[in-house]
Amino acid sequence: MGRYTEIPLEKMTADQMTAYEFTMKNRGQVPGPYKIWLQNPKLMEVMVPLGAYYQGHSSLSKAEIEIATNLTNGRWLAALL
């Protein structure tokens, strides 16, 4: 699929595996962007709690969060995966 090759669990470094387990604990899954961010476990330490906060504690509905995400991605010409 596209430009990114997913890292199989058995080939992850110890730091990547820790980041993977941290994401599973906090989100219950490792969705699209998080799979890419696993390349940089330090980034995961920031993004997982931030994403979990906005998903669970935001005053915005899930639909509004999705709209804001799409507008931001469009503004920065982010490629869709």
Side-chain angles (χ1 to χ4, degrees):
M1 169 179 148
R3 298 171 284 183
Y4 173 73
T5 302
E6 192 171 330
I7 305 168
L9 290 176
E10 62 274 0
K11 292 191 177 185
M12 287 183 185
T13 66
D15 286 344
Q16 289 170 330
M17 194 55 153
T18 300
Y20 176 87
E21 291 168 353
F22 181 69
T23 306
M24 287 295 289
K25 178 182 160 207
N26 283 282
R27 295 193 53 102
Q29 61 178 340
V30 181
Y34 292 85
K35 290 178 183 179
I36 296 168
W37 297 338
L38 278 173
Q39 298 285 339
N40 183 345
K42 296 275 185 216
L43 177 63
M44 293 289 282
E45 291 176 14
V46 174
M47 296 307 294
V48 172
L50 184 65
Y53 175 82
Y54 282 110
Q55 289 294 322
H57 299 92
S58 176
S59 61
L60 300 175
S61 70
K62 293 212 182 274
E64 291 167 329
I65 291 170
E66 194 67 29
I67 291 168
T69 300
N70 289 333
L71 288 172
T72 302
N73 287 338
R75 166 64 179 92
W76 291 102
L77 304 175
L80 299 176
L81 297 177

